[in-house]
């Protein structure tokens, strides 16, 4: 509750000022990161010198930066001594000078770029280049590993694989490593590790595959001197492994003090960094335990590891410079913070960001629950419960949220939309159903062929547990989700009449149609989630919300962006028309200029207001 009055937090107040920080990189000239402008949705480049007493400065106030490779981007900036390489919204690679912030475009083709890595030895940037990304014409889709020079010349370093990760350079600039994968695989299912030498002319030589001991998702290669480290899940968890990049047949060695936990999350974006080498052979690494990110530093010798920054609950973009570890840290009650951590003492300091999330308001803090274990279930689903900030004698209405992906996860970090609902008197549960990342390979792959079934069951199990504990009102349970989470919500409405109402935010309604129309990155994903349609056609039919609308007896509201390339707009419009033709009354809120996710603050506000009116109306009529 705001100290100044007793008014309930408005949707506008919840969304305004929600600043997110991503893509932190370090170089001799300081720290660089992306920071969004809440009112416009633009991403701006920010800079902070290591000895700066003036705070962070916007490096270029006109350039909006966002990669669109694979539809989800990542790795949109790389920094060197004289300037930063960035990918603009138009997908052109620009070079921004450090001394005056002026920029000029280096590329002008119709490709998208991402996964940028500076190559200062050769005054160029390495990148993943993508051209043609639709499933309807997959033959035209292509990714390549390229180098972009300051002159604008683009050299193809490697091609022939369907997809590429952001590359890693050795400290001397003479060796390179990267990860690739082929359709229909996704990067969290099966990937290939490559290494190569870089010749005097900048081209690659001795390109070789380094196979993991068994089928695995390998990600985030990092050189320490001439030693190569990766994250691999071939033993069931994304753990750090040392790879001999010179001898192909040599064994892989797991890092010291690496418990059976995921040390990374699903690589939906390029350029993630969950581990970082420190002086003296030490490491900084993230571990995910029960959905929460923990930051651990290894000690000298065989001293084990120590956890640091324990008041934060997720960490991204780890990097080391000028004797300090830097990271973007998230917490349940504050905005994204840039942390500087002394690797010797573990002392931490917020050097940018970290603002109080909702000044004057009580923030609902997450409570972690595990769903009751079923027989033969080794890893039960987990969820975060956010109670309403104003308690009453009766159990509160509950909003179940299915995260997208579905191979993503819900984290206990500040989310203004969750807090809005808690301010309005709702409880919220974000569920890490089977298939979520952060809980090991077996749990992540347990959704294969069971999408629309296992995830739906787990959502219901979470609701049952909260109702049994009097933490939710059984007569007022709502369900919603974004993207694949929207599909989960719709299938839950098909399968279970317990829900008061549901909301699909740019959700999947017809998987078979989407298989033909979505972008190339996910064009083979649906076959993994549901099985190949030639062999499992009945399964596809039974798990297609648009074909099961007669089983939906609860009110439904849809939100859709007209520019969505991932879950194309026809997914929503055709289901809405089908429901209307059968005499149902779905509601549709359309945002013509939005894509896969609503970036403009005014549209985020309207979405919350429409949802609140929808839930309130049907909560009273139940």
């Amino acid at each position: 509750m705001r100290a100044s009055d007793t008014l309930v937090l408005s949707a506008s107040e919840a969304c305004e000022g929600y600043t997110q920080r991503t893509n932190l990189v370090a170089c001799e000239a300081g720290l660089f990161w992306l920071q969004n402008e809440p009112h416009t949705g633009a991403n701006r480049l920010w800079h902070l010198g290591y000895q700066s007493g003036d705070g962070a400065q916007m490096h270029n106030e006109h350039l909006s930066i966002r990669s669109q490779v694979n539809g989800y981007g990542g790795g949109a900036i790389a920094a060197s001594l004289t300037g930063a390489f960035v990918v603009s919204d138009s997908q052109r690679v620009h070079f921004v000078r450090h001394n005056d912030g002026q920029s000029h475009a280096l590329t002008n083709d119709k490709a998208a770029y991402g996964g940028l890595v500076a190559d200062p030895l050769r005054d160029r940037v390495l990148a993943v280049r993508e051209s043609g990304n639709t499933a309807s014409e997959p033959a035209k889709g292509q990714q390549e590993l390229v180098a972009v020079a300051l002159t604008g010349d683009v050299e193809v370093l490697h091609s022939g694989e369907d997809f590429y990760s952001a590359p890693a350079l050795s400290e001397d600039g003479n060796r390179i490593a990267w990860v690739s994968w082929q359709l229909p695989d996704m990067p969290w299912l099966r990937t290939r590790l490559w290494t190569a030498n870089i010749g005097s002319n900048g081209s690659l030589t001795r390109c070789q595959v380094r196979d993991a001991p068994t089928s695995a998702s390998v990600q985030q290669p990092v050189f320490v001197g001439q030693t190569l480290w990766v994250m691999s899940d071939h033993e069931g968890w994304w753990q750090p492994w040392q790879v001999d990049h010179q001898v192909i047949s040599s064994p892989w060695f797991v890092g010291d003090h690496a418990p059976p936990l995921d040390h990374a999350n699903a690589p939906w974006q390029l350029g993630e960094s969950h581990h970082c080498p420190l002086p003296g052979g030490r490491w900084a690494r993230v571990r995910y335990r029960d959905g929460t990110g923990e930051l651990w530093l290894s000690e000298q010798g065989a001293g084990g590891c120590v956890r640091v920054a324990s008041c934060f609950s997720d960490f991204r973009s780890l990097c080391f410079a000028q004797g300090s570890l830097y990271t973007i840290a998230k917490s349940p009650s504050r905005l994204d913070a840039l942390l500087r951590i002394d690797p010797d003492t573990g002392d931490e300091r917020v050097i940018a960001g970290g603002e109080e999330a909702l000044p004057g308001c009580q923030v609902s803090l997450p409570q972690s629950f595990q769903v009751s274990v079923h027989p033969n279930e080794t890893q039960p689903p987990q969820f975060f419960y956010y109670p309403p900030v104003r308690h009453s004698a009766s159990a509160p209405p509950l909003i179940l949220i299915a995260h997208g992906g579905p191979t993503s996860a819900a984290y206990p970090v500040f989310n203004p939309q969750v807090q809005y609902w808690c301010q309005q008197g709702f409880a919220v549960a974000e569920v890490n159903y089977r298939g979520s990342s952060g809980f090991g390979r077996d749990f992540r792959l347990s959704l294969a062929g069971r999408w629309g079934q296992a995830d739906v069951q787990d959502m219901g199990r979470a609701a049952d547990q909260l109702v049994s504990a009097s933490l939710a009102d059984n007569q007022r349970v709502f369900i919603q989700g974004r993207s694949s989470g929207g599909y989960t919500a719709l299938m839950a409405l098909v399968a279970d009449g317990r829900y008061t109402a549901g909301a699909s935010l740019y959700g999947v309604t017809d998987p078979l149609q989407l298989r033909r129309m979505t972008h190339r990155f996910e064009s083979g994903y649906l076959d993994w989630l549901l099985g190949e349609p030639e062999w499992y056609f009945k399964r596809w039919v039974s798990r297609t919300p648009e074909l099961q609308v007669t089983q939906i007896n609860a009110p439904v509201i849809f939100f859709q962006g007209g520019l969505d390339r991932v879950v194309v707009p026809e997914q929503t419009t055709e289901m809405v028309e089908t429901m209307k033709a059968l005499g149902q009354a779905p509601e549709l809120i359309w945002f013509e200029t939005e894509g896969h996710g609503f970036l403009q603050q005014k549209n985020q506000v309207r979405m919350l207001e429409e949802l609140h009116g929808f839930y309130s109306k049907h909560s009273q009529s139940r």
Side-chain angles (χ1 to χ4, degrees):
M1 183 181 297
R2 284 169 286 178
S4 59
D5 52 47
T6 58
L7 295 177
V8 176
L9 183 75
S10 70
S12 179
E13 290 169 328
C15 295
E16 69 185 13
Y18 179 45
T19 302
Q20 296 175 280
R21 298 170 174 94
T22 60
N23 223 152
L24 175 68
V25 296
C27 70
E28 298 93 328
L31 302 170
F32 297 83
W33 68 92
L34 294 183
Q35 188 164 307
N36 76 306
E37 291 180 345
H39 60 288
T40 66
N43 282 334
R44 305 298 186 191
L45 181 65
W46 284 71
H47 169 249
L48 181 65
Y50 297 113
Q51 307 302 322
S52 174
D54 300 327
Q57 300 288 329
M58 188 185 296
H59 203 50
N60 185 300
E61 62 183 9
H62 304 295
L63 198 61
S64 182
I65 301 166
R66 181 176 287 106
S67 169
Q68 294 180 5
V69 171
N70 296 332
Y72 300 97
I77 61 175
S80 63
L81 182 60
T82 58
F85 298 90
V86 302
V87 180
S88 68
D89 284 352
S90 64
Q91 298 309 288
R92 301 173 74 180
V93 177
H94 292 249
F95 185 72
V96 185
R97 296 196 301 260
H98 290 329
N99 58 350
D100 57 11
Q102 296 299 307
S103 68
H104 65 277
L106 302 179
T107 62
N108 192 27
D109 51 20
K110 294 183 179 180
Y113 290 82
L116 304 188
V117 173
D119 184 0
L121 186 65
R122 301 168 184 86
D123 286 330
R124 64 182 187 177
V125 66
L126 310 182
V128 177
R129 180 171 69 177
E130 177 181 75
S131 58
N133 59 0
T134 63
S136 58
E137 296 180 297
K140 294 185 178 180
Q142 183 180 31
Q143 284 193 1
E144 300 163 310
L145 202 61
V146 302
V148 181
L150 287 174
T151 60
D153 295 330
V154 179
E155 177 186 359
V156 176
L157 300 178
H158 196 271
S159 61
E161 298 291 292
D162 285 337
F163 299 96
Y164 288 83
S165 74
L169 279 177
S170 62
E171 295 175 20
D172 62 9
N174 294 323
R175 289 177 175 81
I176 186 174
W178 69 91
V179 167
S180 71
W181 64 99
Q182 297 285 100
L183 288 171
D185 291 338
M186 299 299 285
W188 46 83
L189 176 61
R190 188 167 30 250
T191 60
R192 310 172 77 190
L193 174 67
W194 292 76
T195 62
N197 295 334
I198 304 179
S200 57
N201 64 352
S203 60
L204 304 189
T205 62
R206 297 190 64 204
C207 297
Q208 296 176 311
V209 176
R210 312 287 168 163
D211 287 324
T214 60
S215 180
S217 165
V218 180
Q219 60 169 306
Q220 298 186 31
V222 173
F223 281 98
V224 183
Q226 300 305 309
T227 303
L228 178 63
W229 288 82
V230 299
M231 291 291 183
S232 175
D233 69 353
H234 61 271
E235 287 200 352
W237 305 87
W238 273 311
Q239 294 172 294
W241 290 84
Q242 182 180 336
V243 182
D244 188 330
H245 64 90
Q246 296 179 324
V247 181
I248 295 180
S249 60
S250 63
W252 291 30
F253 299 98
V254 69
D256 293 336
H257 315 297
L261 295 169
D262 275 340
H263 290 64
N265 54 27
W268 281 91
Q269 292 188 309
L270 302 177
E272 296 274 17
S273 176
H274 290 90
H275 61 156
C276 176
L278 303 173
R282 294 177 295 158
W283 282 88
R285 293 187 174 113
V286 180
R287 301 174 185 173
Y288 287 97
R289 192 189 312 271
D290 296 329
T292 297
E294 303 173 350
L295 182 58
W296 290 78
L297 306 183
S298 60
E299 298 178 303
Q300 294 280 8
C305 294
V306 59
R307 185 181 177 186
V308 298
S310 59
C311 60
F312 294 91
S313 51
D314 199 12
F315 303 87
R316 306 296 172 98
S317 300
L318 273 62
C319 54
F320 179 83
Q322 302 290 309
S324 295
L325 172 69
Y326 296 92
T327 181
I328 295 176
K330 299 174 180 288
S331 92
S333 59
R334 309 189 75 84
L335 300 185
D336 297 346
L338 268 69
L339 287 190
R340 180 169 64 207
I341 300 172
D342 186 322
D344 297 321
T345 66
D347 292 341
E348 67 191 67
R349 180 186 173 190
V350 175
I351 58 174
E355 304 92 340
E356 184 180 357
L358 295 173
C361 289
Q362 179 182 343
V363 173
S364 179
L365 298 178
Q367 303 171 17
S368 179
F369 287 83
Q370 277 194 334
V371 174
S372 300
V373 181
H374 276 179
N376 302 319
E377 188 173 53
T378 58
Q379 177 68 55
Q382 179 270 344
F383 64 92
F384 293 104
Y385 174 77
Y386 295 80
V389 297
R390 292 171 181 82
H391 300 283
S392 63
S394 60
L398 173 67
I399 300 175
L400 281 174
I401 298 180
H403 64 70
T407 310
S408 184
Y411 304 100
V413 300
F414 175 75
N415 181 332
Q417 296 183 15
V418 168
Q419 296 301 322
Y420 170 76
W421 295 120
C422 294
Q423 290 280 333
Q424 303 297 325
F426 291 83
V428 175
E430 294 189 300
V431 183
N432 281 316
Y433 48 79
R434 280 168 286 179
S436 302
S437 64
F439 301 87
R441 182 177 176 89
D442 287 347
F443 188 82
R444 188 172 71 249
L445 301 190
S446 65
L447 197 62
R450 303 181 68 190
W451 190 40
Q453 180 190 65
D455 48 337
V456 167
Q457 293 170 353
D458 293 346
M459 299 298 289
R461 292 166 67 187
D464 287 340
Q465 189 160 326
L466 292 173
V467 168
S468 296
S470 298
L471 295 174
D473 181 357
N474 192 45
Q475 297 302 308
R476 294 182 294 169
V477 178
F478 303 89
I479 188 165
Q480 69 178 55
R482 301 166 181 265
S483 191
S484 73
Y487 170 84
T488 298
L490 292 172
M491 285 305 302
L493 295 172
V494 168
D496 193 340
R498 69 176 303 162
Y499 297 106
T500 308
S504 169
L505 286 66
Y506 39 93
V508 177
T509 67
D510 186 341
L512 191 60
Q513 182 196 54
L514 188 68
R515 183 178 186 261
R516 297 189 293 265
M517 300 181 68
T518 192
H519 62 162
R520 184 168 171 263
F521 176 63
E522 295 181 75
S523 59
Y525 191 25
L526 291 161
D527 286 10
W528 182 85
L529 289 167
L530 293 174
E532 295 185 12
E534 305 86 59
W535 297 100
Y536 299 97
F537 184 72
K538 290 183 178 179
R539 179 190 296 170
W540 282 68
V541 171
S542 66
R543 299 195 200 156
T544 296
E546 186 180 341
L547 298 179
Q548 305 296 326
V549 294
T550 57
Q551 304 301 312
I552 297 178
N553 298 312
V556 188
I557 188 170
F558 295 85
F559 296 84
Q560 180 64 50
L563 302 180
D564 198 332
R565 295 188 302 113
V566 179
V567 178
V568 293
E570 290 85 350
Q571 287 283 300
T572 293
T573 56
E574 291 181 8
M575 179 157 180
V576 168
E577 291 305 314
T578 298
M579 295 181 74
K580 288 181 177 179
L582 292 172
Q584 296 172 298
E587 297 184 32
L588 172 60
I589 310 300
W590 188 267
F591 299 113
E592 185 62 38
T593 61
E594 294 282 12
H596 197 64
F598 304 149
L599 299 177
Q600 299 173 50
Q601 182 178 314
K602 64 178 182 179
N603 294 334
Q604 296 171 357
V605 170
R606 186 186 172 200
M607 180 192 71
L608 284 179
E609 291 175 341
E610 295 281 359
L611 264 176
H612 183 258
F614 177 77
Y615 288 156
S616 297
K617 175 176 62 178
H618 294 292
S619 178
Q620 295 168 2
S621 62
R622 181 78 170 191

